[in-house]
Amino acid sequence: MTYPQLKKITMGAQIAAMLRAAILGGELAPGSAVVETSLALRFGVSRGPLREAMRELIDEGLLITVPYTGTKVLELSPADINDIYSMRICLEKFAFEQIWDRRDDAFREQILQRHAALLAAIDANDDVASIEAELNLHGLAYEMAQNAILMKTWNGIRGRLQLYWAAHHRAHHMQGPQRTGHDDYVSLAIGNDLDLMRAEIESHMQRGLEITKAQVQGELSTRV
Amino acid sequence: MTYPQLKKITMGAQIAAMLRAAILGGELAPGSAVVETSLALRFGVSRGPLREAMRELIDEGLLITVPYTGTKVLELSPADINDIYSMRICLEKFAFEQIWDRRDDAFREQILQRHAALLAAIDANDDVASIEAELNLHGLAYEMAQNAILMKTWNGIRGRLQLYWAAHHRAHHMQGPQRTGHDDYVSLAIGNDLDLMRAEIESHMQRGLEITKAQVQGELSTRV
DNA sequence: TCATAATCGATTGTCAACAATGTTTGGGGG
DNA sequence: CCCCCAAACATTGTTGACAATCGATTATGA
């Protein structure tokens, strides 16, 4: 037996999900124009719900729009990446501080499970799945913190990172998540030394930022 | 000679500003319904731009909506206030860490100026102006940090605080910002001891949170 | 009287046409 | 050859009408 959906999902919401997948999947590359009429045609709806969907992605920071002119997929500068990573350090430490004393078996089970999923995606050489698995792993602390504003901010960061990584992976065969990259993170997250966890978050992010910057450097030298 | 505006402002954006003012000004109290058709009539526009405006306030967290049913002004629970204040501690410390080594004369001038504006509003017994002035004072660090995600998060916090404070001031003659409440904050912000500034932010927020909680307590006892 | 189902009103969701704006392109003059 | 202007084009902004859904109310039967 199939259960009927209790609340009708609007077309705008469904299209927002599809559009998000198209952007994060690289179908719409950063900087490319996003035109209402053509997308409305593609999804088989009117411009109304499509605008609603685009508005949602604009709020998430995946799209930027200028009145009467147009909308395009966000392009992140190296400075933006810096901002994102410094925010990640701040917020992820905060998230762990909030949940530290109420971590339970369900938490430990979840983090091990998500780590296993990440390892599986890496072993399968699936870049898209690896990126998503890594973000899911880091997202656990945010989810458990149960703070609406924190969660919304994390979602914005998460989307931008996914957008950036996905685009660069496809374009430049960028180095993906490493198999041993999260061992310390996971073991400390289920351990009992909050200060060590704080330090791990900082070094973990620093490492990620350096990998990203090295990639940008490589891009620039390629173009010279 | 008056200069023409370079970019045309859409009706939706203008209405978003008016609607935001109406909510923060208390004309639309927390929990009250916000109906598209009646507001469209009131502002003299169609439902299209009005939906756009409402969508903007939904993103800021001032409104909440459920499909096919309705939209209303956000009501904050004591737990929400806790979340907001813990986020404020985290983010404001972060903002000052980011700007600490590049504070200049313009910064010192601005913070003194905004502090003076706050004192003036308190002396004038203008609650609405006092709230706005206090948030402007705290906002300076965020503005100077020049981090888009940080700024967006702060705006969300700022709006919720303004909504909550404004509503409770009107309803319960709640205690407003105190005249000497920000002296330490300002002097430490232009000083040279970052650790002391961090401690001041924590104690400042703790104080604000306790005032709010005492107010909620008073409300509850009044109703019994 | 109570539980259940049909109906009504209110509100939001969706659509297609029209208006306003920004950008581009092509021509004319210096 | 370059610069400026004007007209055409592409895109978004706005509108009013219609459809879908939800919540409450009322009727109905046991």
Side-chain angles (χ1 to χ4, degrees):
Chain A
M1 170 181 179
T2 70
Y3 289 87
Q5 53 190 172
L6 298 181
K7 285 276 182 182
K8 177 73 177 187
I9 303 174
T10 65
M11 288 189 185
Q14 299 178 57
I15 292 184
M18 288 194 282
L19 190 54
R20 189 184 296 110
I23 292 173
L24 298 180
E27 204 166 330
L28 280 63
S32 60
V34 177
V35 183
E36 292 179 2
T37 50
S38 55
L39 280 181
L41 200 68
R42 164 175 166 179
F43 288 121
V45 295
S46 163
R47 275 178 57 213
L50 196 115
R51 275 174 77 98
E52 203 86 1
M54 283 175 59
R55 178 80 206 205
E56 193 168 324
L57 300 191
I58 290 170
D59 303 324
E60 293 180 20
L62 263 45
L63 298 178
I64 50 177
T65 185
V66 42
Y68 289 106
T69 302
T71 306
K72 54 184 186 176
V73 181
L74 178 73
E75 293 176 289
L76 285 89
S77 70
D80 292 329
I81 300 295
N82 266 317
D83 290 350
I84 288 174
Y85 269 90
S86 56
M87 282 288 283
R88 283 190 77 188
I89 294 175
C90 170
L91 293 181
E92 203 152 323
K93 282 197 289 189
F94 174 74
F96 271 101
E97 289 163 6
Q98 294 290 304
I99 69 171
W100 197 254
D101 291 330
R102 50 187 169 87
R103 293 171 301 159
D104 53 10
D105 287 338
F107 171 82
R108 296 183 188 87
E109 186 183 334
Q110 264 292 314
I111 199 167
L112 291 174
Q113 191 173 315
R114 296 190 186 191
H115 190 212
L118 171 59
L119 294 179
I122 292 174
D123 288 341
N125 248 353
D126 187 336
D127 273 358
V128 174
S130 299
I131 292 173
E132 188 156 359
E134 164 152 13
L135 291 170
N136 280 339
L137 175 60
H138 285 278
L140 180 59
Y142 295 94
E143 292 169 24
M144 196 170 179
Q146 294 273 43
N147 185 320
I149 297 178
L150 176 63
M151 198 62 201
K152 175 155 187 168
T153 307
W154 163 243
N155 279 331
I157 289 176
R158 184 198 164 114
R160 286 174 171 85
L161 275 177
Q162 199 166 352
L163 169 64
Y164 183 87
W165 284 343
H168 283 258
H169 270 263
R170 273 186 311 281
H172 307 288
H173 306 291
M174 184 175 163
Q175 182 184 28
Q178 297 302 291
R179 207 180 188 291
T180 59
H182 287 81
D183 292 346
D184 291 346
Y185 181 89
V186 171
S187 59
L188 286 171
I190 60 181
N192 285 305
D193 192 326
L194 181 54
D195 281 327
L196 276 181
M197 186 65 212
R198 287 198 189 93
E200 164 63 17
I201 291 172
E202 291 201 13
S203 64
H204 186 92
M205 298 301 167
Q206 198 58 40
R207 224 178 311 153
L209 182 57
E210 275 163 14
I211 290 174
T212 301
K213 290 202 149 190
Q215 176 60 31
V216 170
Q217 202 65 28
E219 264 180 64
L220 292 175
S221 62
T222 306
R223 287 176 184 163
V224 171
Chain B
M1 167 185 181
T2 70
Y3 288 87
Q5 52 189 170
L6 298 181
K7 285 277 184 182
K8 176 74 177 188
I9 302 173
T10 64
M11 287 188 185
Q14 299 178 56
I15 292 186
M18 287 193 282
L19 190 53
R20 188 184 296 111
I23 292 173
L24 297 180
E27 201 166 333
L28 279 62
S32 60
V34 177
V35 181
E36 293 180 2
T37 50
S38 55
L39 281 180
L41 200 68
R42 164 177 168 180
F43 289 121
V45 296
S46 165
R47 275 178 57 213
L50 195 115
R51 276 173 75 99
E52 203 87 1
M54 284 176 57
R55 178 83 206 198
E56 193 168 324
L57 299 193
I58 290 170
D59 303 325
E60 292 179 21
L62 263 45
L63 298 179
I64 50 177
T65 185
V66 40
Y68 289 106
T69 302
T71 306
K72 55 182 187 175
V73 181
L74 178 72
E75 293 175 288
L76 287 92
S77 69
D80 292 328
I81 300 294
N82 265 318
D83 290 350
I84 287 173
Y85 268 90
S86 56
M87 281 289 282
R88 282 190 78 187
I89 295 175
C90 170
L91 293 181
E92 202 152 322
K93 282 197 291 188
F94 174 73
F96 271 101
E97 289 164 8
Q98 294 289 306
I99 68 172
W100 197 255
D101 292 329
R102 50 188 169 86
R103 291 171 302 159
D104 53 11
D105 287 340
F107 171 81
R108 296 182 188 86
E109 186 183 335
Q110 263 294 312
I111 200 166
L112 291 174
Q113 192 172 315
R114 296 190 186 192
H115 189 213
L118 172 59
L119 293 180
I122 292 174
D123 287 341
N125 247 354
D126 188 337
D127 274 356
V128 174
S130 299
I131 291 173
E132 189 156 359
E134 164 152 12
L135 291 170
N136 279 340
L137 175 61
H138 285 280
L140 181 59
Y142 295 94
E143 293 168 22
M144 196 171 180
Q146 294 272 43
N147 185 320
I149 297 180
L150 176 64
M151 198 61 200
K152 175 154 188 169
T153 306
W154 163 243
N155 279 332
I157 289 176
R158 183 197 165 116
R160 286 174 171 85
L161 274 177
Q162 199 166 352
L163 170 65
Y164 184 87
W165 284 344
H168 283 260
H169 271 263
R170 271 185 312 279
H172 307 288
H173 307 291
M174 184 175 163
Q175 182 184 26
Q178 297 302 290
R179 208 182 187 290
T180 58
H182 286 80
D183 292 344
D184 292 345
Y185 181 89
V186 170
S187 59
L188 286 172
I190 60 182
N192 283 307
D193 192 325
L194 180 55
D195 281 327
L196 277 182
M197 187 65 211
R198 287 198 189 95
E200 164 62 17
I201 290 172
E202 291 201 14
S203 64
H204 186 92
M205 297 302 166
Q206 199 57 40
R207 225 178 311 153
L209 183 56
E210 274 162 15
I211 291 175
T212 299
K213 290 202 151 190
Q215 176 61 30
V216 170
Q217 203 63 29
E219 262 180 67
L220 292 175
S221 62
T222 305
R223 287 175 184 166
V224 172

